[in-house]
Amino acid sequence: MIDTAVILSAGQGSRLLPLTIDRPKCLIEVGGKAIIDHQLDALAAAGVRRRIVVGGYRADRLAAHLAARGGDAELRINPFWAVSSSIGSVWAARDALAGDFVIVNGDTVYTPALIRAGLADDAPGIGLFVEPIAHAEQDDMLVAVSDGVVTAVAKTLDPAAAHHRSLGFIVARQDGGAYRAMLDAVIAREDGIRSFHHQIVHEIAQRQPVRPLLIRGGGWAEIDRPEDIAGWRG
């Protein structure tokens, strides 16, 4: 059973302005419930007991929200959220990246059933929730899969060669420190702080197998724009 989740919730979500003018993106309500509450509740239903939320923009609002939930999640602060990409938020919780853990994008809503299904695969190593796609959409984090393993992850992949997209959910089981070591390597590079955290998975996939954890039939939504809120059918 996965014991720890790190939720990357430091961003503002400028494409959701003015909704995010006074609150982080993760506090926007989708289906009458804040994104972060969807995530925390779904992870708890899947048996993930330790949930770490990494905040940044308007972290005071996030802290108050988590306190009102009864303190069932731990808040970490990414002080570099305004100048770093998502890898900075992973760095803020790097001490938790040992043993079995998951890393979750803070702007994506998942149903409990989807998380349970994805975590049913208990093979060791790194896994990435992916969905097959016929056509890439704007800002999709594309994933190339060949012979049952992930071979590349990036927004800049050729859509003709990448027939999956990431759901923003990374699973690590008995990875022997591979994820943490690659985090250190990527963030130490020139301008590494501006890397998407998916770069870590991409780099690992060049050295050892990364499993694509295939998700079909919906049950998730990345919330980037107001129409994504209206479109949620969880």
Side-chain angles (χ1 to χ4, degrees):
M1 179 180 293
I2 296 283
D3 187 63
T4 299
V6 176
I7 305 174
L8 311 179
S9 300
Q12 177 186 18
S14 58
R15 285 174 290 185
L16 283 168
L17 286 169
L19 296 177
T20 57
I21 197 167
D22 66 343
R23 71 195 65 194
K25 188 178 185 179
C26 66
L27 293 186
I28 297 299
E29 288 196 356
V30 177
K33 186 175 180 178
I35 293 172
I36 191 64
D37 291 333
H38 280 285
Q39 295 180 323
L40 291 172
D41 293 346
L43 288 163
V48 182
R49 293 175 293 179
R50 186 187 184 196
R51 285 153 291 159
I52 300 170
V53 181
V54 182
Y57 173 73
R58 289 307 310 267
D60 57 329
R61 292 289 303 269
L62 180 54
H65 185 89
L66 296 178
R69 283 183 56 94
D72 63 341
E74 176 185 346
L75 178 62
R76 300 285 183 91
I77 301 299
N78 171 12
F80 312 110
W81 68 269
V83 296
S84 73
S85 188
S86 54
I87 197 171
S89 291
V90 179
W91 180 259
R94 62 193 182 280
D95 61 292
L97 306 181
D100 296 351
F101 60 88
V102 300
I103 297 175
V104 184
N105 280 5
D107 61 357
T108 305
V109 179
Y110 310 89
T111 63
L114 181 151
I115 293 179
R116 283 196 299 269
L119 294 186
D121 181 334
D122 60 358
I126 305 295
L128 179 66
F129 281 30
V130 301
E131 178 182 67
I133 55 173
H135 304 286
E137 298 178 3
Q138 184 181 10
D139 287 334
D140 276 344
M141 183 62 71
L142 297 175
V143 182
V145 176
S146 179
D147 296 327
V149 297
V150 172
T151 58
V153 186
K155 290 189 175 185
T156 55
L157 296 182
D158 180 356
H163 302 137
H164 297 77
R165 62 183 169 192
S166 169
L167 277 63
F169 201 113
I170 297 164
V171 182
R173 296 182 186 271
Q174 306 171 43
D175 80 325
Y179 188 92
R180 170 63 192 273
M182 190 56 69
L183 164 65
D184 292 349
V186 172
I187 206 168
R189 295 173 184 165
E190 183 177 0
D191 214 27
I193 194 69
R194 298 188 185 278
S195 298
F196 290 112
H197 70 283
H198 279 82
Q199 181 68 23
I200 301 167
V201 178
H202 172 82
E203 299 278 353
I204 293 172
Q206 310 314 302
R207 294 160 175 80
Q208 65 187 59
V210 170
R211 301 185 320 283
L213 303 177
L214 196 62
I215 303 295
R216 299 180 185 271
W220 74 288
E222 186 175 5
I223 309 301
D224 279 332
R225 299 171 179 84
E227 55 265 33
D228 297 328
I229 299 173
W232 171 245
R233 298 291 183 269

